[in-house]
Amino acid sequence: MQTVRAVPTASALNLRDLGGIPLGPGRQVRQGVLLRSGRLSGLDPVDDAAVAALGIRTVVDLRSADERGSAPDTLPPGARLFVADVLGENPGVAPARFRALLADPVEAERLLGNGRAEEVFAQSYRQMVLSPGAAAAYRAFIDTAADTAARPVLFHCATGKGRAGWGAALLLLILGASRDVVRQEFLAVNPVVRAAYRPYVQGFLDAGGDPEIASAIIEVRPRYLDTALDAMDERWGGLDGYVRDCLRVPGPTLRRLRSELVVYARP
């Protein structure tokens, strides 16, 4: 599998182009039209030539209102902001509160200790599939990605791994990627996220925090994606039922996505 192209920028966390991901024999995602990242609050729109060169037209912010208020996006030149809040007014323990948890080992232990960390995070991915509010957010996101005038689209959450991770997985599945390919792409963000948050993790550990809790907070794991996929399969019988009956994405929108975002790979 081709590795998702990381965009070389110092001011946008975990910025990656989905272009080039294989979608089956001879097909791949069109480059330069779908990008994912973490928060954009540190983006330097003047000095960051790599981001400006992408020509981003729409930024889709998947974060909660509290997150947007504490770290508002700085938009690339010429881009408009579209909010698609996945977690709504009930963000729960994860993923929106990960930095607060890393800053407070006692609270992290209370909420996630005794081996509960991975289970709590896995269930947050289940809610991304089952929650009506999340469904509305992801439907709006897909509509935006399908809008020719809105692209290139950059979608993001706080770190670019959780809510953006499911958004990327959903788009790739719609475009025809196998679950194995989706899983590889989902996990590929880990090295960048670990590096970016190493100081926070070290501070957490130095203050007596549990390494397993830190790992569960900062990483994406196969179980997280599998929990989301299992919820989709159990409730709606797979991708087609989920997209049709939960997200209610119209057929013309799906056809436009597939016709405009899938290209034939060069031999």
Side-chain angles (χ1 to χ4, degrees):
M1 172 185 170
Q2 175 175 323
T3 302
V4 179
R5 181 171 64 88
V7 178
T9 169
S11 65
L13 175 65
N14 204 9
L15 179 56
R16 305 160 69 79
D17 185 351
L18 299 186
I21 291 180
L23 301 172
R27 296 178 299 119
Q28 63 184 28
V29 180
R30 184 182 296 278
Q31 293 190 348
V33 294
L34 294 173
L35 300 104
R36 59 181 288 189
S37 76
R39 68 185 186 281
L40 300 179
S41 56
L43 183 66
D44 188 331
V46 175
D47 294 335
D48 204 324
V51 175
L54 297 170
I56 300 297
R57 291 182 179 177
T58 309
V59 170
V60 179
D61 190 341
L62 303 173
R63 298 177 302 164
S64 67
D66 285 347
E67 291 172 292
R68 299 193 305 272
S70 63
D73 280 347
T74 301
L75 297 180
R80 72 179 182 94
L81 178 64
F82 184 86
V83 173
D85 183 349
V86 171
L87 300 178
E89 296 179 357
N90 298 295
V93 173
R97 293 177 56 194
F98 78 100
R99 288 184 67 176
L101 291 170
L102 286 177
D104 189 345
V106 174
E107 179 68 359
E109 179 65 28
R110 185 182 72 83
L111 294 173
L112 302 173
N114 297 317
R116 296 193 304 269
E118 182 173 287
E119 176 64 22
V120 169
F121 276 83
Q123 290 307 310
S124 74
Y125 283 80
R126 182 175 177 84
Q127 288 307 306
M128 287 184 207
V129 175
L130 299 180
S131 161
Y138 283 118
R139 158 69 189 271
F141 163 57
I142 291 171
D143 285 344
T144 303
D147 182 355
T148 305
R151 299 192 298 260
V153 172
L154 168 59
F155 60 100
H156 78 93
C157 54
T159 59
K161 66 182 181 71
R163 288 158 286 181
W166 177 244
L170 180 57
L171 271 179
L172 291 173
L173 289 168
I174 288 172
L175 295 178
S178 70
R179 292 195 178 191
D180 285 343
V181 165
V182 168
R183 185 171 289 103
Q184 290 178 60
E185 194 278 329
F186 181 78
L187 297 173
V189 302
N190 274 332
V192 173
V193 176
R194 289 188 194 112
Y197 287 93
R198 187 171 292 121
Y200 298 96
V201 171
Q202 190 59 54
F204 179 82
L205 299 178
D206 290 346
D210 183 343
E212 168 58 21
I213 292 178
S215 175
I217 290 173
I218 209 66
E219 295 177 349
V220 288
R221 295 179 172 181
R223 183 183 175 193
Y224 298 168
L225 178 61
D226 289 343
T227 298
L229 294 171
D230 288 347
M232 181 177 72
D233 293 342
E234 292 163 8
R235 180 67 61 88
W236 291 285
L239 177 71
D240 291 345
Y242 173 62
V243 171
R244 180 186 64 244
D245 300 329
C246 177
L247 302 186
R248 301 185 183 278
V249 180
T253 298
L254 296 175
R255 289 191 289 273
R256 188 162 61 250
L257 274 171
R258 291 163 179 155
S259 66
E260 296 181 3
L261 300 184
V262 178
V263 296
Y264 287 95
R266 295 178 180 177

